Amino acid sequence: MAELLLAVLYQAAVAIGRLLGFFVSELAASKISNAIEDFFTNDTKLEKNVKLLAEEKWFIELADDFRYSHIIWHNNRVGRYLKEDSNIPLLKKHEEEQRKFIEMVKQEHKKFAGMPSKDSR
């Protein structure tokens, strides 16, 4: 009876190991594929994600404003946010995320322009 139980546990462990190995290999393949694609394309991650957002009316309005266009392309905080691929679907689907992003861009512009924020008054 104990031998049967050990055999079943062994088979389960082997199956779990194969499954985990599959997921790890798929994740690694995906990361390597993205790295190769990024290496051979001229667009940066920021450029790619801005192109994706340029399909959205609210983003076009924001980016067309010369005050905020500079912030979108040159501000570190905004750039880090836009380079994160997981943020782009959120911005495309959720008005609350869009509102937060617009507010972040405006706050970064105020810092850049040396304007005091409401909180510091």
Side-chain angles (χ1 to χ4, degrees):
M1 183 69 165
E3 291 174 359
L4 179 63
L5 181 61
L6 286 176
V8 169
L9 288 175
Y10 175 76
Q11 292 297 326
V14 168
I16 291 171
R18 286 183 182 154
L19 187 61
L20 287 175
F22 172 76
F23 285 127
V24 169
S25 67
E26 285 296 310
L27 179 63
S30 172
K31 293 291 184 184
I32 290 170
S33 173
N34 288 341
I36 290 170
E37 179 183 332
D38 290 344
F39 182 78
F40 287 110
T41 59
N42 291 332
D43 289 352
T44 65
K45 193 173 265 199
L46 177 62
E47 290 170 329
K48 288 178 188 176
N49 288 342
V50 167
K51 282 180 186 176
L52 291 173
L53 288 174
E55 301 167 357
E56 305 291 321
K57 183 181 179 209
W58 66 269
F59 187 80
I60 293 169
E61 291 173 1
L62 185 68
D64 282 348
D65 189 326
F66 72 94
R67 298 172 296 177
Y68 306 129
S69 177
H70 179 80
I71 298 300
I72 289 169
W73 288 104
H74 301 287
N75 182 273
N76 286 335
R77 182 175 175 211
V78 173
R80 277 193 312 268
Y81 183 86
L82 288 175
K83 288 176 187 176
E84 188 63 46
D85 291 333
S86 61
N87 291 331
I88 304 309
L90 293 175
L91 285 172
K92 291 182 101 174
K93 292 180 184 175
H94 302 290
E95 288 184 26
E96 179 66 18
E97 291 298 320
Q98 295 167 7
R99 187 190 61 71
K100 288 178 183 178
F101 176 76
I102 292 168
E103 186 60 32
M104 176 177 53
V105 170
K106 289 181 178 182
Q107 287 297 322
E108 291 301 311
H109 173 261
K110 286 180 182 179
K111 288 182 200 175
F112 177 74
M115 298 166 39
S117 65
K118 294 176 188 174
D119 298 338
S120 64
R121 291 183 199 169

